[in-house]
Amino acid sequence: MSHPPPPGTPRARIPRPQQPPPPYPRIGAGLWRRCLVGGLAVWGPATGLALATRSTAALVTPALLGTFLVPVVLVLWAYERGARDLGVSAVLGCFLAGGALGVLGASLTASSAPHPSLNRYLTVALAEEAAKLGALVFALRRQSAVRGMRAGLILGAAVGVGFAALESAGHALDAALWAPDPWGQLETELVRGLLAPLGQGAWTAAAGGVLLALRRPGGRFRYAPPVVAACMGAALLHALADTARGLAPWLVVRLTGRGVEGGLFAPGYPPQPSAAQQHLLTLVSALGPALVALAALAWALSLARRNPSYPPWRNTP
């Protein structure tokens, strides 16, 4: 017969089973909203200060913040919506690899390409898309289980927006030193910061989806004809967006009747542009890439709808 222990006797404590730590850090829900609101809260006063002081140093802050805000928010949103099982390391690695390797490949190609022309845009676009797919392969080389259409769409988009962020940052720094009017420069960079991640992210997502959909279970990548065709399709959309942007100054001169007639791809502003020409240039520069970005989004969405469950999302770590 057992008796209860006397009062005051210490009781043995049975340790609870220890939960294994998560293999990667978790991101709380709604971080993309907080990042967007916080970024806009900083961008607004910085823009007002740059316009009030007319200082090039003050112009750099809103330009760089505007180029990185949308790509980072898009990556956080995609992670929260459907990439938690992939892990932060995969998404962040693709974002950084796309920016570093993609911009490096683009710089090497652009320096050896001829004067702005249709052939130049096609050459640079093909090299950039090949470099971005190479960045995707590099970032996932040790994660053999990551495959499938949905994983490719999300990680390809991360590569694309990482490339767009660094590319737009380079354009912002260059234009901040040479732009004749700070407001015109901020207006142009604002439009580019909104459109460039959508376009680059969409067509690179489609190419990445095809690449990972054909990846073998052991992790080996297959460079089959569908992958080559997807890369060519992404390069064609990329070239169309660049061509539309390159034609914008020529179209502004033709529409307004002010300035020196140049070639189709004459870079920069017309000589001594008016305020109306600057606003029209921003509008024309945005319209063509926006239409191309919509076509790329339709392509990526069609791939997602045609491949809703291969492979099952729960099998993707």
Side-chain angles (χ1 to χ4, degrees), residues 26-310:
R26 294 286 183 176
I27 294 180
L31 180 60
W32 70 271
R33 293 190 185 90
R34 297 191 294 272
C35 181
L36 178 61
V37 173
L40 291 176
V42 175
W43 183 83
T47 301
L49 179 63
L51 295 177
T53 60
R54 299 279 175 170
S55 171
T56 303
L59 183 64
V60 172
T61 299
L64 289 180
L65 182 60
T67 57
F68 278 96
L69 181 60
V70 174
V72 171
V73 169
L74 285 176
V75 169
L76 291 175
W77 176 82
Y79 174 81
E80 293 183 23
R81 289 295 299 268
R84 288 186 178 274
D85 292 334
L86 292 173
V88 176
S89 60
V91 179
L92 183 60
C94 289
F95 180 84
L96 296 177
L101 299 181
V103 172
L104 179 61
S107 301
L108 293 175
T109 308
S111 61
S112 60
H115 186 75
S117 62
L118 185 58
N119 291 333
R120 178 184 186 272
Y121 289 132
L122 287 173
T123 303
V124 172
L126 184 58
E128 290 179 357
E129 293 308 317
K132 285 190 283 184
L133 289 184
L136 181 61
V137 171
F138 175 79
L140 301 178
R141 68 193 186 282
R142 296 182 180 177
Q143 303 184 42
S144 58
V146 178
R147 61 190 183 91
M149 179 61 70
R150 287 193 291 174
L153 289 171
I154 293 175
L155 296 179
V159 169
V161 298
F163 172 83
L166 286 188
E167 184 188 40
S168 298
H171 286 289
L173 288 175
D174 183 64
L177 297 176
W178 303 104
D181 179 38
W183 173 248
Q185 166 58 22
L186 286 174
E187 187 180 54
T188 302
E189 288 304 319
L190 177 61
V191 174
R192 184 180 180 90
L194 291 174
L195 292 179
L198 294 178
Q200 297 279 1
W203 58 62
T204 309
V210 176
L211 176 65
L212 289 189
L214 297 178
R215 190 181 190 184
R216 297 185 184 278
R220 186 176 180 181
F221 290 94
R222 294 178 57 198
Y223 303 101
V227 176
V228 177
C231 183
M232 295 294 292
L236 179 59
L237 291 174
H238 192 159
L240 287 176
D242 289 345
T243 301
R245 195 177 292 112
L247 284 173
W250 181 83
L251 286 175
V252 169
V253 171
R254 297 284 293 182
L255 291 173
T256 59
R258 290 185 67 249
V260 178
E261 283 293 328
L264 284 177
F265 300 102
Y269 285 86
Q272 298 181 349
S274 64
Q277 281 185 315
Q278 291 183 5
H279 296 309
L280 183 60
L281 180 64
T282 301
L283 177 62
V284 174
S285 300
L287 185 59
L291 295 177
V292 177
L294 288 177
L297 286 172
W299 181 22
L301 290 176
S302 67
L303 291 176
R305 293 193 184 101
R306 284 187 293 172
N307 300 269
S309 59
Y310 175 75

